[in-house]
């Protein structure tokens, strides 16, 4: 079961939502500890179409090659093998359960590093990664600007960031609103929290947030237009994915799909992590953690971060 640390609502229009830091101190977390999300939602949920459409979007947006990629909210590693051109991949997730499932799926390989941490407190030195992805995660985030700032900080100059978000301005929501079967207005820029810690976002607000985090938007794809039970039953899977592949380009003009993928780029200037530096203490920021085998120790504040079952754990110190 997913648990919610607390609830949160965006209460302000576009500009206020962009600048507000009121809720950023301790944003609530949608906790997937103990969740069977991968098997229940993907494997038993008949979502081969959505998965195939996302695979195509990722192929189009993620760089073909690279050194070090950060997968934020990696879950059970459903997408990790799609980043095959990267030498090393860091799978970060708040949930140990999800990371253990990812380990079972991906096996042991020096290419993968598993990190339990909160996207609002990333345990990496600045300028470390040459790419990052965050797929199907931001809809759980109540403080989007804080999360984007954290991701931006750990990226190198010119790094690519691929982000997926749930689009409130989608055809189904527009239809339901016009027929008065849905109270919230899909054209309103405010996020809608349709269930606790589940947000749909307006593309204009998301683009604004991404730019405010000092990214340049390079591309945008509209994904999963045909997410309807009847269509999925009637139309062969390959056709539906092929149609989606053709329709994805509409995202560049006016995305009306339930899912939107954005490729953003970090600016040219900025920090590059010094050789040999990797983790930082999330409590005090020290980037000189001492590796003691079963834990990392911070020489500045004395906090100790566990390394258990090949998972670096930065959720709480020992
Ligand atoms: C819907 S799942 C998506 C998993 C994967 N990206 C995929 O597309 O299959 C959302 C994931 O985000 C993680 N998550 C949610 N809030 C987080 C946070 N604040 N920090 C890190 N991970 C978080 C959850 O633990 C969960 O594994």
């Amino acid at each position: 079961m997913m648990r919610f640390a607390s609830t949160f609502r965006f209460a302000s229009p576009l500009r206020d939502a962009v600048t507000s830091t009121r809720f950023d101190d301790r944003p609530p977390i949608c906790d997937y500890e103990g969740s069977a999300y991968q098997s229940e939602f993907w494997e038993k949920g008949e979502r081969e179409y959505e998965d195939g459409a996302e695979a195509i979007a990722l192929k189009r947006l993620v760089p073909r090659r690279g050194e070090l990629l950060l997968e934020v909210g990696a879950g059970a590693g459903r997408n990790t093998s799609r980043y095959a051109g990267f030498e090393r991949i860091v799978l970060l997730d708040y949930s140990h359960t999800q990371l253990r499932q990812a380990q079972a799926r991906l096996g042991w390989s020096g290419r993968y590093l598993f990190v339990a941490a909160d996207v609002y407190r990333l345990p990496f030195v600045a300028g470390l990664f040459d790419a990052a992805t965050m797929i199907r995660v931001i809809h759980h985030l109540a403080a989007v600007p804080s999360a984007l700032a954290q991701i931006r900080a750990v990226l190198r100059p010119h790094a690519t960031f691929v982000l997926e978000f749930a689009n409130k301005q989608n055809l189904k929501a527009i239809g339901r609103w016009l027929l008065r079967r849905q109270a919230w207005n899909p054209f309103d820029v405010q996020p809608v929290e349709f269930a606790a810690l589940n947000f749909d976002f307006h593309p204009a607000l998301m683009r604004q947030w991404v730019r405010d985090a000092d990214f340049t938007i390079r591309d945008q794809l509209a994904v999963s237009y045909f997410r309807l039970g009847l269509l999925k039953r009637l139309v062969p899977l390959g056709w539906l994915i092929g149609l989606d592949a053709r329709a994805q380009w509409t995202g560049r003009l006016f995305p009306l799909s339930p899912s939107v993928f954005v490729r953003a780029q970090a600016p040219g200037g900025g920090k590059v992590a010094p050789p040999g530096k990797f983790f930082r203490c999330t409590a005090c920021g020290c980037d000189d953690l001492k590796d003691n085998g079963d834990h990392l120790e911070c020489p500045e504040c004395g906090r100790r971060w566990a390394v258990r079952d090949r998972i670096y754990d930065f959720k709480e110190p020992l």
Side-chain angles (χ1 to χ4, degrees):
M1 279 289 289
M2 278 167 263
R3 294 186 302 277
F4 306 105
S6 66
T7 55
F8 168 94
R9 277 175 208 289
F10 290 91
S12 40
L14 176 60
R15 195 26 78 182
D16 289 348
V18 169
T19 53
S20 172
T21 53
R22 254 185 322 151
F23 301 99
D24 288 3
D25 294 337
R26 292 197 55 186
I29 293 171
C30 186
D31 194 346
Y32 275 63
E33 210 61 86
S35 161
Y37 164 75
Q38 177 64 32
S39 59
E40 294 298 322
F41 186 84
W42 290 104
E43 284 147 31
K44 295 186 198 151
E46 298 183 349
R47 288 189 168 82
E48 291 88 354
Y49 155 65
E50 288 86 341
D51 187 50
E54 292 184 12
I56 290 173
L58 287 173
K59 196 168 180 186
R60 288 173 168 163
L61 299 179
V62 175
R64 277 168 203 268
R65 267 176 287 282
E67 256 175 67
L68 186 61
L69 180 140
L70 172 64
E71 187 177 5
V72 180
R78 178 179 65 96
N79 285 312
T80 311
S81 60
R82 294 172 177 154
Y83 312 134
F86 280 78
E87 287 166 28
R88 291 174 72 206
I89 299 169
V90 174
L91 290 93
L92 179 135
D93 202 282
Y94 193 72
S95 156
H96 295 111
T97 316
Q98 301 306 306
L99 289 173
R100 280 195 289 272
Q101 290 174 15
Q103 287 178 328
R105 169 192 295 261
L106 299 167
W108 169 240
S109 148
R111 283 188 67 220
Y112 304 120
L113 194 77
F114 299 90
V115 178
D118 182 2
V119 65
Y120 298 116
R121 286 185 293 169
L122 289 180
F124 309 109
V125 297
L128 183 64
F129 298 93
D130 52 346
T133 63
M134 184 156 71
I135 312 301
R136 287 183 178 257
V137 178
I138 209 163
H139 68 281
H140 288 317
L141 301 187
V144 170
S146 300
L148 293 178
Q150 287 278 309
I151 294 167
R152 167 69 193 86
V154 301
L155 291 178
R156 292 179 197 164
H158 298 298
T160 296
F161 174 43
V162 175
L163 166 71
E164 183 275 348
F165 68 90
N167 176 17
K168 71 179 292 197
Q169 191 182 259
N170 67 73
L171 288 172
K172 188 174 167 195
I174 294 170
R176 287 174 59 85
W177 180 68
L178 290 175
L179 295 170
R180 296 174 191 270
R181 291 175 60 193
Q182 169 187 294
W184 52 270
N185 179 350
F187 301 107
D188 182 72
V189 292
Q190 283 192 51
V192 56
E193 189 178 15
F194 58 90
L197 283 177
N198 278 268
F199 300 96
D200 281 352
F201 298 98
H202 194 286
L205 178 59
M206 190 54 75
R207 279 198 296 270
Q208 172 91 48
W209 275 333
V210 170
R211 288 194 194 101
D212 285 354
D214 204 18
F215 286 105
T216 303
I217 296 175
R218 296 291 182 202
D219 206 352
Q220 180 172 279
L221 300 177
V223 179
S224 279
Y225 270 113
F226 311 109
R227 197 185 282 177
L228 290 170
L230 187 65
L231 271 182
K232 289 203 279 184
R233 276 194 295 280
L234 292 180
V235 183
L237 177 65
W239 290 18
L240 216 51
I241 294 175
L243 284 172
D244 199 280
R246 284 174 180 78
Q248 287 184 4
W249 304 115
T250 60
R252 290 180 176 169
L253 293 172
F254 205 72
L256 294 172
S257 54
S259 176
V260 173
F261 278 60
V262 170
R263 177 160 62 89
Q265 191 178 29
K271 289 186 184 165
V272 178
K277 300 280 183 191
F278 198 93
F279 286 120
R280 73 175 186 119
C281 176
T282 55
C284 72
C286 168
D287 65 1
D288 208 15
L289 303 190
K290 188 162 172 262
D291 189 344
N292 290 331
D294 63 352
H295 68 273
L296 302 178
E297 188 168 347
C298 176
E300 297 278 333
C301 70
R303 284 185 176 78
R304 297 179 309 142
W305 306 97
V307 187
R308 259 187 234 117
D309 302 330
R310 294 188 286 119
I311 296 175
Y312 290 83
D313 192 342
F314 285 90
K315 285 175 70 167
E316 294 293 338
L318 287 169

